[in-house]
Amino acid sequence: DLRTLLAAMSLQAALLSRGDAAGTTLAQVVAAGKKLYRLTARMDGLVGDLLDVARIEAGKVGMETRNRPVEPPLREVVETFRPVAEDRGIALMLEPLAPGIRARFEDGRLFQVLGNLVGNALKFTPRGGQVTVGAQVQGTLVRCCVKDTGCGVSPAVLSSIFERHWQRTPGHHGGLGLGLYIAHSIVEAHGGTLWVEQPKEGGSLFCFTVPRA
């Protein structure tokens, strides 16, 4: 996967540095620059995933948790992914939360888990669908959920969905199939649990818990 990205980046750089590049329009240069940016961002994501897996296997996924309000990271994830959702014709919404919900978590890691779940939901939800993000208190825990109206997850793979290198559609959306594995490990390092449910009305419901503050 990394070599594929490197090859694409090399090709774009070669096209920009060719001798006849003087005849290239500004719009073409800008388009090539944007493509290079997307490729480097994708490569950075893959390298980050590999580093996270190395830390997980070495037992070094330490969490610097603090008591924090839950709403800000949920709202940030929704605002971050909203342009992607709008481009795909999908409604991405944050459900109204009860006031004052607080939990113990590491802010960046919680955003990473939520970002993975929302990103996956958008990948497998068709145009005109809906993805909702929400949270509620559940005893000594706070339960966060991402619900979509997509194609759902086959019952045959529910037991393996959080395994390393698992992919719902192998090779179709790229990546190494590490996102859910990493998210599951991060949630466990917080002392919580990550699971998936199959709503009767269809789609998928991914939920995880973190300790309530």
Side-chain angles (χ1 to χ4, degrees):
D1 288 85
L2 291 172
R3 283 174 176 163
T4 299
L5 290 170
L6 277 172
M9 292 167 64
S10 178
L11 176 61
Q12 287 298 312
L15 291 173
L16 286 173
S17 61
R18 278 170 45 182
D20 59 352
T24 304
T25 66
L26 177 59
Q28 290 173 320
V29 173
V30 171
K34 288 181 177 179
K35 188 168 185 178
L36 278 170
Y37 178 80
R38 290 194 299 270
L39 289 168
T40 54
R42 181 60 186 151
M43 176 173 282
D44 183 65
L46 289 179
V47 171
D49 284 349
L50 292 171
L51 289 173
D52 278 338
V53 169
R55 294 188 188 102
I56 290 167
E57 293 183 339
K60 297 181 179 179
V61 190
M63 295 292 141
E64 296 181 6
T65 60
R66 290 171 50 193
N67 290 338
R68 308 170 188 265
V70 170
E71 183 173 355
L74 269 67
R75 187 171 299 279
E76 183 183 1
V77 166
V78 170
E79 292 175 353
T80 299
F81 282 87
R82 181 162 283 144
V84 178
E86 291 177 349
D87 185 60
R88 298 179 181 178
I90 300 170
L92 175 59
M93 299 177 294
L94 175 64
E95 294 180 343
L97 305 183
I101 299 180
R102 297 177 66 87
R104 189 167 187 85
F105 59 90
E106 182 177 321
D107 194 46
R109 289 298 191 179
L110 189 73
F111 181 90
Q112 184 178 357
V113 173
L114 286 166
N116 178 273
L117 298 181
V118 171
N120 279 342
L122 293 175
K123 285 179 184 178
F124 298 101
T125 299
R127 182 170 292 273
Q130 180 175 297
V131 175
T132 56
V133 180
Q136 59 184 353
V137 173
Q138 194 175 54
T140 60
L141 303 170
V142 172
R143 168 174 161 167
C144 301
C145 294
V146 175
K147 183 179 181 181
D148 66 64
T149 58
C151 58
V153 180
S154 169
V157 301
L158 286 177
S159 62
S160 58
I161 193 171
F162 298 112
E163 293 179 1
R164 189 171 61 170
H165 299 306
W166 183 89
Q167 290 178 301
R168 189 183 297 192
T169 310
H172 183 62
H173 290 281
L176 304 176
L178 297 173
L180 288 176
Y181 169 74
I182 293 171
H184 188 267
S185 299
I186 290 173
V187 170
E188 285 193 332
H190 276 84
T193 305
L194 170 62
W195 70 95
V196 59
E197 298 178 6
Q198 299 288 82
K200 292 181 179 179
E201 63 272 21
S204 300
L205 177 64
F206 282 83
C207 299
F208 67 91
T209 56
V210 288
R212 184 181 177 187

